[in-house]
Amino acid sequence: MTQKASKPVGFSNPPRAANADLEMATAVVAQCTVEAPFDGRVSNTMVHNYQYLSPGTPMLEILDDTSLELSMIVPSMELRNLAPGTPFRIHILETDATYPATITRISGKVDPVSKTIKVYGRLVRPAPDLLPGMTGEAQFGK
């Protein structure tokens, strides 16, 4: 009686099996790539290296720093001099620099206790040295 040599089950073609494993691993890695929907700065990381995440889990907070919005509290008596498009200068305390800006909108409500109103603006030109949360003083007129 002669015996036939048997091949181990599942190892009929090791290069093909290795290629299939490589393709599957490449597909998994491709799903691990994260692209931000816009350029910006990472302000908060909510996950750790090698942490398993479910789809839709927030990982980062990204701030769009290409068009920072300025917000300021202005005495309501100044409303007669302010309108969207009004130019002003903003001196940022952290950088000790002054930047040209314009008013973009004015809140629709005056605070009756403090007699102030919130006014919003944008820089005329981008300033890459500014970060969200910096403070300053608005200079109107002159």
Side-chain angles (χ1 to χ4, degrees), residues 122-137:
R122 293 234 184 262
L123 296 173
V124 172
R125 290 179 296 282
D129 56 331
L130 298 184
L131 297 172
M134 288 183 165
T135 58
E137 297 172 353

Side-chain angles (χ1 to χ4, degrees), residues 2-142:
T2 61
Q3 290 186 340
K4 292 184 177 180
S6 62
K7 294 182 183 178
V9 177
F11 291 99
S12 60
N13 192 340
R16 182 185 283 170
N19 285 336
D21 288 344
L22 178 61
E23 287 177 20
M24 185 166 33
T26 302
V28 169
V29 169
Q31 292 178 349
C32 294
T33 301
V34 178
E35 293 184 20
F38 54 86
D39 290 338
R41 296 179 191 235
V42 175
S43 65
N44 187 21
T45 304
M46 296 178 255
V47 296
H48 303 287
N49 289 341
Y50 309 107
Q51 179 178 345
Y52 177 80
L53 301 174
S54 299
T57 301
M59 298 174 10
L60 304 168
E61 284 182 23
I62 303 172
L63 297 174
D64 179 1
D65 60 354
T66 58
S67 65
L68 297 174
E69 182 176 65
L70 307 169
S71 64
M72 59 208 112
I73 305 294
V74 176
S76 61
M77 294 302 289
E78 292 297 321
L79 273 174
R80 64 181 145 236
N81 303 318
L82 304 178
T86 301
F88 68 98
R89 298 184 62 72
I90 183 82
H91 180 79
I92 302 297
L93 302 175
E94 289 86 350
T95 62
D96 195 29
T98 302
Y99 308 87
T102 58
I103 292 176
T104 56
R105 62 190 171 99
I106 298 173
S107 173
K109 181 180 176 186
V110 171
D111 182 326
V113 176
S114 66
K115 295 183 175 46
T116 59
I117 190 162
K118 200 160 191 178
V119 176
Y120 301 89
R122 293 234 184 262
L123 296 173
V124 172
R125 290 179 296 282
D129 56 331
L130 298 184
L131 297 172
M134 288 183 165
T135 58
E137 297 172 353
Q139 303 161 349
F140 293 95
K142 300 178 191 171

